[in-house]
Amino acid sequence: MAEVEDLIEDVAIRLPGADDIRARGQRRRTRARAVRGGAAGALVLAAAGAWGLLLPADGPEARQTVTTTTANPFRTADGEVMMRQADELPGYATWHWKETTSLPKGTGPISDALPQVGLDGACPASFVPADEPDRKGYSLLYTGSGHALAQHRITEYDDTATARSQVTALRGAMERCGLHSASQTAGEREEGTAVWSGTVDDGRTLRVTVRRWESWVSVEEVLHGTPAG
């Protein structure tokens, strides 16, 4: 069975019973049938059903794992990668996220590759190694009120071991940026998400959420608004 892995150590999570897991799986299959051939927005809504199947993990980098399903939670049965819609991102009620294809003038460098994090140059201590592993990357950028920025990246590596090592490097980059493990929302706990947060050099708050499933890694970054460049 495939493993869905949570990246936070020593977190107590209540696991649903077998009947609940079976019911969730049936609801997900119903959603998947409903969205086949539908619009991209509907596919993202199907993703919300998939997140509900993620349970905690084990292992040195993901301390708590439960084998529940072989289905990839980041991709539909039709092969569509499930990126977050703007209103699903943390802080939407405050920052009113909108998808964008280009960032505002003066915004710092943005990279799709891990372990770089920070948006707008907010985390210069992170870096992309010269020997970056082979990967397939998918990303969306978002702008918000008060010059807030967000990014969602999903990266597919060649194997699980590479994905695990990249998550390790990502954790090191976040620690160098001064980020620390933070509390999760109820939805994030259900999704098996690790949350990191902290204040970056210009005084803004950077919030990063990380998930891994086998060789796939999802990273959501939210850089709170003000100051502007």
Side-chain angles (χ1 to χ4, degrees):
M1 296 286 283
E3 292 185 346
V4 178
E5 300 183 77
D6 178 9
L7 309 175
I8 294 181
E9 301 181 10
D10 304 323
V11 177
I13 299 181
R14 292 179 296 177
L15 304 181
D19 290 341
D20 189 23
I21 293 174
R22 284 193 293 271
R24 293 182 184 185
Q26 181 59 46
R27 289 196 296 272
R28 183 182 183 281
R29 288 190 291 272
T30 301
R31 291 189 184 97
R33 287 194 295 269
V35 300
R36 287 193 179 101
L43 291 173
V44 176
L45 290 177
W51 297 132
L53 296 176
L54 299 187
L55 294 175
D58 61 12
E61 282 306 317
R63 301 293 177 181
Q64 300 154 333
T65 293
V66 171
T67 56
T68 57
T69 175
T70 58
N72 185 341
F74 304 123
R75 187 170 62 184
T76 69
D78 293 333
E80 294 285 343
V81 176
M82 298 187 290
M83 309 300 294
R84 291 294 203 197
Q85 288 187 345
D87 61 1
E88 296 175 318
L89 288 174
Y92 175 77
T94 301
W95 308 115
H96 311 294
W97 302 114
K98 293 182 180 179
E99 290 182 22
T100 182
T101 55
S102 60
L103 291 177
K105 184 177 180 180
T107 298
I110 299 294
S111 172
D112 288 339
L114 301 180
Q116 184 166 325
V117 291
L119 294 164
D120 201 12
C123 189
S126 68
F127 64 96
V128 179
D131 59 346
E132 180 187 338
D134 291 338
R135 64 185 177 88
K136 292 180 182 177
Y138 313 86
S139 65
L140 280 178
L141 294 167
Y142 315 81
T143 55
S145 57
H147 308 287
L149 298 172
Q151 183 179 26
H152 182 204
R153 291 175 285 174
I154 292 180
T155 306
E156 178 188 4
Y157 295 100
D158 286 346
D159 52 63
T160 299
T162 301
R164 185 180 290 115
S165 69
Q166 290 299 292
V167 168
T168 300
L170 175 63
R171 292 178 65 172
M174 291 189 292
E175 288 172 351
R176 288 193 299 275
C177 289
L179 306 189
H180 304 280
S181 180
S183 0
Q184 309 144 292
T185 65
E188 286 167 340
R189 284 194 297 271
E190 188 176 17
E191 292 175 356
T193 298
V195 180
W196 294 72
S197 182
T199 303
V200 295
D201 290 349
D202 67 3
R204 288 185 286 177
T205 297
L206 174 64
R207 185 182 190 275
V208 183
T209 64
V210 184
R211 304 176 185 87
R212 182 174 72 80
W213 181 88
E214 294 191 346
S215 62
W216 292 67
V217 179
S218 169
V219 177
E220 298 170 30
E221 298 177 63
V222 169
L223 182 62
H224 290 191
T226 64

